[in-house]
Amino acid sequence: MSPLLVKARAGSAIVEVTPESAGWTHVGFAAHRLAAGEQLTLETGRRELCLVVLTGTVTVQAGGQTWEAIGNRQSVFEDVSPYAVYVPLETTVGITAVSNAEVALCSAPATTHRPARLIDPQSMTRSVRGKGANTRYVCDILPQTAEADGLLVVEVVTPSGHSSSYPPHKHDSDNIPLESSLEETYYHRLN
């Protein structure tokens, strides 16, 4: 198994974690930095993808659809939900930065063909979890109730000095309701 900590790099590809590089079977994650006018094209293959516009504005083409100039944040710490796009398996995705932008690419294996779709910020549920020093603010981007084979995507803002995962837990075995087997990646940004 690879190290559990993968540090950000300079350049366009900020970070990339594949099932192969992590020694897993399911979850993949990448974050890319794009200058205005820069393009990124990729194939989903046998995976589904949730593209999250972290900062800036991008145009996304996928599944015969185009979403022009989506993105509404200059910082991930702004108190607004991001724009996102769900992209099914076997689909070409084109991302063009309208302004300087950062995008997250969350992926998992898929077998179901679904249409690509915009996930509008207004459709995302925002909630507060925990209390006291365990309070954190959660935005469900692609919740477990959404149409997807095995991908769940959330964004969490944890105030300074707070814990973001309480009570301590693990996901090593399928023993519902005590524990569920699942793979997780966390992409941390510090302010």
Side-chain angles (χ1 to χ4, degrees):
M1 180 173 299
S2 70
L4 295 177
L5 176 63
V6 178
K7 295 194 175 194
R9 303 182 295 243
S12 177
I14 300 169
V15 67
E16 183 173 14
V17 177
T18 66
E20 296 78 20
S21 72
W24 297 337
T25 54
H26 298 285
V27 175
F29 178 84
H32 288 269
R33 191 180 291 117
L34 302 171
E38 191 173 356
Q39 296 181 332
L40 176 65
T41 302
L42 55 111
E43 300 285 335
T44 59
R46 300 297 304 163
R47 302 178 69 75
E48 60 189 354
L49 175 77
C50 182
L51 181 156
V52 180
V53 184
L54 299 172
T55 63
T57 305
V58 298
T59 293
V60 177
Q61 294 178 306
Q65 299 188 66
T66 301
W67 296 279
E68 297 276 349
I70 60 171
N72 58 347
R73 307 189 298 188
Q74 295 308 304
S75 166
V76 294
F77 300 104
E78 289 179 23
D79 191 23
V80 294
S81 300
Y83 276 83
V85 175
Y86 172 84
V87 183
L89 74 160
E90 299 172 347
T91 302
T92 301
V93 183
I95 307 161
T96 304
V98 175
S99 67
N100 290 343
E102 290 182 2
V103 296
L105 306 171
C106 313
S107 68
T111 57
T112 307
H113 290 272
R114 296 181 169 83
R117 67 184 184 273
L118 178 68
I119 306 171
D120 192 271
Q122 289 76 25
S123 71
M124 297 175 190
T125 302
R126 293 168 59 107
S127 60
V128 178
R129 292 195 191 147
K131 60 183 179 180
N134 296 310
T135 301
R136 63 251 190 220
Y137 304 94
V138 178
C139 175
D140 291 318
I141 297 169
L142 186 68
Q144 65 187 30
T145 56
E147 286 192 40
D149 279 7
L151 193 56
L152 178 135
V153 179
V154 300
E155 182 175 79
V156 179
V157 176
T158 305
S160 179
H162 287 212
S163 171
S164 193
S165 187
Y166 186 85
H169 64 283
K170 62 186 181 66
H171 295 286
D172 296 337
S173 63
D174 243 347
N175 186 16
I176 303 293
L178 302 174
E179 177 181 356
S180 63
S181 177
L182 86 112
E183 298 172 353
E184 297 177 298
T185 59
Y186 291 81
Y187 176 59
H188 292 275
R189 299 290 294 269
L190 303 176
N191 183 5

